[in-house]
Amino acid sequence: MNSKPEHIIHVDDLGSIVKPKEFLLGNTESELVAACKAGERSAQKRVYELFSGKMLNVCKRYAKDADHAKDMMHDGFIKVFLNIQKFREQASLETWITRIMINNSISDIRKEVRKGIKVSTDDVHIKDENIKDFELVCQKPITANQVFETMNQLPLGYKTVLSLYVLDGFTHKEIAAQLGISEGTSKSQLAKAKKVLAKLLTDAYL
Amino acid sequence: MQKKGNIESFLREKLQNMEVAFQDDWSVFEEKLRYALYVRRLKRMMWLGTCSIVLLLSFVSVNVYHIQEGATYQPRHQSLQIGNSSLFEPAMYYEPTNELSTDVKSATFFNKTKGDITASSIKIRGTNSTDILTQKSHSVTANIPLPTTSTVSTKKAALLLNANNNDRIEEANAGVSAQDLLSNLEHFEFQDMVMLVGSDGEIEQAPAKEKVLKTYSRFHPLYLSTKNLDLDIIDKDFVSVHMPLEIKDIKSYEGPYVSPLQDKNPWSYALNVYPNFTYRKFAVDQDKLDYIHRDFIDAVQSAEKGGFSLNVGFEVSRRIGLITFLNSGIEYMTYNTEAVYNFTNFRDADINPTTGRIDNYSLKLRKENIEFTDRNTYHYLNFPLSISHQPWATNHIRLNIEVGGSFMYFVTAKGKTLDYKTLDIVDLSTRDFKKSMGSFFFKVGANYYVSPNINVGFEPTIMYFTNTIYSNDYPFKVVPYCVGMNFNIQINLN
């Protein structure tokens, strides 16, 4: 039984009488991009809602804290919408946004990362027993958040190179170009990062 | 032994599938986005404005002419024989025994073409030079190549043509065109002609015969001996009327043309009245659809497009170059638009009292046709600042290029319109508006000088507004650009 008074017609029932230009769920990515290029705020909102969660996780890998990560994410999305005209749909929208987010985050922390890498002279010596124990760690039911928290304990230089190489798929050449370091430095930072992270995980969860 | 890449796989497996938390902070981000878009727009306009100013200054610097009092130059001596006859004879209006003599600093020559003297070859000399205009009705030859000049008289010139027998007196006032002069010259013998130059308004305003007499008297030997003449152009030197003519230096004036009507004072003041027709576009803000009555959306977009404004103001100009000015002043602007609505209203909006949004609509039992027309007037005080350059001018017409900006203070709005939610008739004076807005503008136009003090002109204008007077909850986006046409009347107060 229809509980609505008959003379009241809801907006959704109006159908073709007046159809606002709202962006509806289910539109393809191309339509979404086209609407964003046209400056439609509802489309921009949709893009933000779709990808902001993931992009926040991306930014958290490079930020100092949660607030910094949120600011990075917002700045990244601003760049996305200001430069949306340049998106050529050769890759997926998510990939493009992720790249912008990473580049934006790196440029934010570049100086600090380079400084951290330069002053980091300690040669972390990992015992072989720690490396063997890590295999046991892999069998433990450790959540993603726990791993992430552990990774956050790494020095900024280690964490950045580790994230760029392992999680975001950058080559050492690209990492070197991004951070203004040599390829050799990138490789050594990665090696050290892996060793230290393995030790931290072993100490924490084994 | 550690498996190669084990930790990398471990990290990828764990972190690439991390829990994604939905971010419910769109409103916070939207404010940042709006600001970023505004800053980008502002940067683009400032860049455009800077480029325009740089281009204008570059153009001006090529043409800036420093007016120097008492400029001196080294005269050179040349004698000019015009055919077999002497170029000058003692003027008939004074005693043959009296001679006028002068150091002729320069002379106006004409570009001789074989045969007739063409109109284009006659110029009137400018500053720090003596204007001597001599011609013959028939062809002229010269022994020396004659330079071309491109000059204007910086002061008003009284040109007197006196018939031999005093029974034909032709007198031309300031700004006589070369063509007019030529058409009269053929009636006279060369010895009958002499040009007197000066800024003596007394000569100009007197009747013709008196002008002749006054002019004669000014060339009385006594006058001449005391050099008590105010002949600015020849700088208190006098026309030489003896043969052969000692031609001193010929100094070409290569600067831009300066109309004789151009005010030479460093400061000038004027009253401006100019109607202006502008076109501005309004568009519905898609994010605020819930704040506008749906039946109203299409109606308002066609109703508010552009309008007519009448500006009355006082302008102060400072000469910063020969034909370049820095302008400022104050203007009172009234901008008029017609609010014309004619649409059908099917439903009443249910407005949320807390948020102000339209949550729902109630269908009317009977549809209502809404027709409404009213004139809306917006009043501003405008404070402009601009640089104008007049790259081309004739005696009466000047081309003007102007770039600048202004600060507009919103005074009040009058008239009625429809409320975009309730469709009730509202008084504009009760609406909230912001108090000011800024603009940048670029104008290219032409002015016709009816007289030295009054000119009329038209100027196509492009304007960019940095903001609008509408409040943040106004559901329409006003396109910040507008094009318009100024028709101005300017009264010089100098």
Side-chain angles (χ1 to χ4, degrees):
Chain A
M1 184 177 170
N2 187 1
S3 59
K4 292 185 294 187
E6 283 182 2
H7 68 280
I8 300 292
I9 298 179
H10 287 275
V11 174
D12 294 334
D13 299 337
L14 290 173
S16 60
I17 297 177
V18 172
K19 193 165 187 179
K21 206 175 175 184
E22 290 169 344
F23 184 76
L24 305 172
L25 283 173
N27 285 39
T28 64
E29 185 172 287
S30 296
E31 289 173 348
L32 188 59
V33 168
C36 285
K37 285 182 178 178
E40 287 189 24
R41 198 51 59 84
S42 55
Q44 292 170 338
K45 185 180 177 184
R46 186 70 188 131
V47 167
Y48 183 81
E49 287 169 349
L50 281 172
F51 299 114
S52 56
K54 272 189 183 176
M55 295 307 126
L56 184 62
N57 287 346
V58 169
C59 293
K60 277 179 180 175
R61 295 176 205 152
Y62 305 103
K64 297 171 210 171
D65 50 46
D67 288 337
H68 188 210
K70 192 155 243 186
D71 288 339
M72 275 181 174
M73 191 257 296
H74 282 172
D75 289 343
F77 268 107
I78 285 172
K79 284 193 177 156
V80 164
F81 294 127
L82 290 181
N83 294 289
I84 191 72
Q85 304 295 340
K86 297 178 186 172
F87 178 60
R88 293 285 172 257
E89 301 189 53
Q90 289 164 349
S92 71
L93 183 61
E94 183 179 341
T95 305
W96 188 71
I97 292 175
T98 306
R99 196 72 186 207
I100 289 177
M101 217 49 73
I102 294 168
N103 290 341
N104 183 61
S105 302
I106 294 299
S107 64
D108 198 5
I109 61 169
R110 184 178 288 120
K111 272 188 191 169
E112 226 171 306
V113 169
R114 286 174 66 179
K115 191 177 160 185
I117 288 173
K118 278 178 186 172
V119 301
S120 171
T121 54
D122 53 347
D123 221 0
V124 177
H125 183 72
I126 308 294
K127 294 178 186 175
D128 284 345
E129 290 76 20
N130 293 118
I131 296 170
K132 282 178 188 172
D133 289 338
F134 182 73
E135 292 175 23
L136 297 172
V137 169
C138 293
Q139 297 164 17
K140 292 283 181 181
I142 306 170
T143 65
N145 278 336
Q146 286 172 321
V147 173
F148 187 72
E149 290 304 318
T150 309
M151 198 171 136
N152 270 339
Q153 296 174 41
L154 291 172
L156 186 59
Y158 289 177
K159 186 175 81 165
T160 304
V161 174
L162 186 68
S163 299
L164 285 171
Y165 185 85
V166 174
L167 299 173
D168 294 320
F170 280 59
T171 62
H172 284 295
K173 191 175 177 182
E174 289 170 335
I175 293 170
Q178 275 280 6
L179 298 178
I181 57 177
S182 66
E183 275 190 60
T185 305
S186 173
K187 287 175 184 172
S188 71
Q189 289 287 302
L190 178 67
K192 288 176 190 174
K194 287 196 289 188
K195 281 183 183 174
V196 172
L197 183 60
K199 181 179 183 316
L200 290 172
L201 285 169
T202 308
D203 290 346
Y205 299 107
L206 202 58
Chain B
M1 193 169 176
Q2 185 185 359
K3 289 179 189 172
K4 199 174 181 180
N6 193 16
I7 191 165
E8 291 183 18
S9 307
F10 175 77
L11 286 174
R12 284 194 196 103
E13 184 192 325
K14 292 290 181 184
L15 297 183
Q16 283 185 339
N17 295 315
M18 253 180 83
E19 183 187 331
V20 173
F22 177 74
Q23 300 302 308
D24 190 20
D25 60 347
W26 164 254
S27 54
V28 173
F29 171 72
E30 192 186 7
E31 277 307 306
K32 290 184 183 180
L33 181 61
R34 276 186 204 279
Y35 180 73
L37 289 169
Y38 168 75
V39 167
R40 181 172 73 166
R41 202 162 60 226
L42 200 60
K43 277 182 188 172
R44 281 180 180 170
M45 287 315 300
M46 287 181 70
W47 180 240
L48 191 64
T50 304
C51 289
S52 303
I53 289 172
V54 167
L55 282 171
L56 187 61
L57 287 175
S58 305
F59 185 76
V60 163
S61 65
V62 170
N63 290 290
V64 165
Y65 175 77
H66 296 284
I67 300 171
Q68 294 173 341
E69 298 293 329
T72 58
Y73 50 88
Q74 296 299 318
R76 59 182 171 88
H77 295 267
Q78 286 178 331
S79 61
L80 175 68
Q81 296 284 340
I82 306 294
N84 291 324
S85 54
S86 43
L87 181 60
F88 291 101
E89 289 288 345
M92 298 301 292
Y93 59 87
Y94 54 83
E95 297 295 325
T97 55
N98 294 319
E99 277 193 4
L100 296 173
S101 63
T102 181
D103 288 329
V104 178
K105 285 193 176 175
S106 62
T108 302
F109 291 97
F110 35 87
N111 219 354
K112 177 189 72 67
T113 56
K114 278 213 166 167
D116 297 330
I117 303 163
T118 61
S120 63
S121 66
I122 298 174
K123 310 287 180 184
I124 301 175
R125 178 61 77 169
T127 308
N128 291 331
S129 59
T130 304
D131 280 333
I132 303 173
L133 192 65
T134 62
Q135 28 258 322
K136 242 177 128 131
S137 57
H138 33 276
S139 61
V140 172
T141 56
N143 295 334
I144 56 170
L146 304 175
T148 58
T149 62
S150 173
T151 66
V152 305
S153 55
T154 57
K155 295 288 185 182
K156 297 164 190 163
L159 181 64
L160 176 69
L161 306 174
N162 182 23
N164 201 5
N165 299 320
N166 281 335
D167 59 350
R168 282 182 300 162
I169 297 176
E170 296 287 337
E171 170 254 319
N173 286 323
V176 63
S177 68
Q179 189 59 50
D180 288 341
L181 185 61
L182 249 194
S183 61
N184 288 314
L185 287 178
E186 55 188 342
H187 298 299
F188 301 96
E189 299 293 325
F190 74 90
Q191 61 266 32
D192 297 327
M193 293 177 250
V194 66
M195 185 177 85
L196 304 169
V197 294
S199 62
D200 191 349
E202 193 182 26
I203 293 181
E204 275 193 311
Q205 289 158 19
K209 283 196 179 175
E210 283 184 28
K211 282 186 193 185
V212 170
L213 293 171
K214 280 183 197 272
T215 311
Y216 287 178
S217 66
R218 290 174 70 77
F219 275 79
H220 193 277
L222 183 61
Y223 249 101
L224 300 173
S225 63
T226 59
K227 296 202 174 180
N228 193 27
L229 285 177
D230 181 22
L231 296 174
D232 295 344
I233 290 183
I234 64 172
D235 200 23
K236 297 191 167 59
D237 291 320
F238 312 110
V239 173
S240 172
V241 273
H242 59 86
M243 282 304 295
L245 179 68
E246 283 286 327
I247 306 301
K248 304 293 183 180
D249 183 37
I250 299 152
K251 186 175 180 182
S252 294
Y253 173 62
E254 293 177 354
Y257 174 74
V258 180
S259 164
L261 299 172
Q262 179 77 281
D263 200 318
K264 307 304 175 290
N265 294 323
W267 291 94
S268 60
Y269 312 92
L271 287 175
N272 288 334
V273 178
Y274 59 96
N276 169 274
F277 297 92
T278 53
Y279 174 80
R280 280 190 83 180
K281 194 177 167 191
F282 288 75
V284 175
D285 189 338
Q286 295 295 317
D287 298 323
K288 292 179 180 168
L289 285 171
D290 292 335
Y291 295 91
I292 313 173
H293 197 294
R294 292 296 169 83
D295 294 337
F296 186 69
I297 290 175
D298 291 330
V300 75
Q301 288 186 91
S302 62
E304 296 188 31
K305 274 187 184 170
F308 163 80
S309 70
L310 182 65
N311 305 347
V312 179
F314 174 72
E315 183 183 79
V316 177
S317 291
R318 174 72 166 98
R319 173 188 293 275
I320 56 175
L322 188 62
I323 50 175
T324 308
F325 305 86
L326 184 66
N327 311 301
S328 186
I330 181 170
E331 294 169 351
Y332 192 80
M333 296 173 61
T334 51
Y335 178 70
N336 298 286
T337 62
E338 288 285 316
V340 180
Y341 300 103
N342 187 350
F343 62 98
T344 306
N345 175 213
F346 293 98
R347 55 210 142 173
D348 294 321
D350 297 334
I351 302 169
N352 187 314
T354 310
T355 63
R357 290 166 61 116
I358 298 174
D359 289 335
N360 213 333
Y361 289 92
S362 307
L363 199 64
K364 281 179 174 300
L365 291 173
R366 199 174 287 177
K367 65 183 180 185
E368 186 184 348
N369 203 44
I370 296 182
E371 279 188 59
F372 174 82
T373 304
D374 194 45
R375 168 167 286 187
N376 295 163
T377 305
Y378 299 84
H379 297 261
Y380 302 88
L381 277 176
N382 187 35
F383 301 92
L385 180 68
S386 66
I387 293 177
S388 61
H389 184 67
Q390 297 171 352
W392 182 82
T394 63
N395 287 343
H396 285 274
I397 297 176
R398 292 182 218 173
L399 182 67
N400 184 57
I401 300 174
E402 191 169 344
V403 63
S406 73
F407 172 79
M408 297 164 70
Y409 177 77
F410 174 71
V411 178
T412 187
K414 289 182 182 171
K416 294 183 172 36
T417 187
L418 295 182
D419 185 273
Y420 41 81
K421 279 189 226 176
T422 63
L423 304 185
D424 295 333
I425 295 175
V426 294
D427 195 323
L428 280 177
S429 59
T430 62
R431 258 199 190 156
D432 285 328
F433 292 100
K434 290 182 185 169
K435 269 303 170 189
S436 63
M437 56 195 270
S439 72
F440 296 102
F441 57 83
F442 175 74
K443 303 178 189 177
V444 177
N447 293 77
Y448 177 77
Y449 279 70
V450 178
S451 74
N453 290 335
I454 298 176
N455 69 82
V456 294
F458 75 94
E459 287 175 326
T461 307
I462 297 172
M463 288 182 84
Y464 170 80
F465 298 94
T466 56
N467 58 323
T468 74
I469 56 168
Y470 300 103
S471 56
N472 289 340
D473 59 357
Y474 190 66
F476 300 101
K477 287 189 283 195
V478 182
V479 175
Y481 307 94
C482 81
V483 293
M485 182 71 78
N486 292 346
F487 295 94
N488 69 313
I489 301 169
Q490 188 176 63
I491 302 167
N492 198 318
L493 299 176
N494 282 58

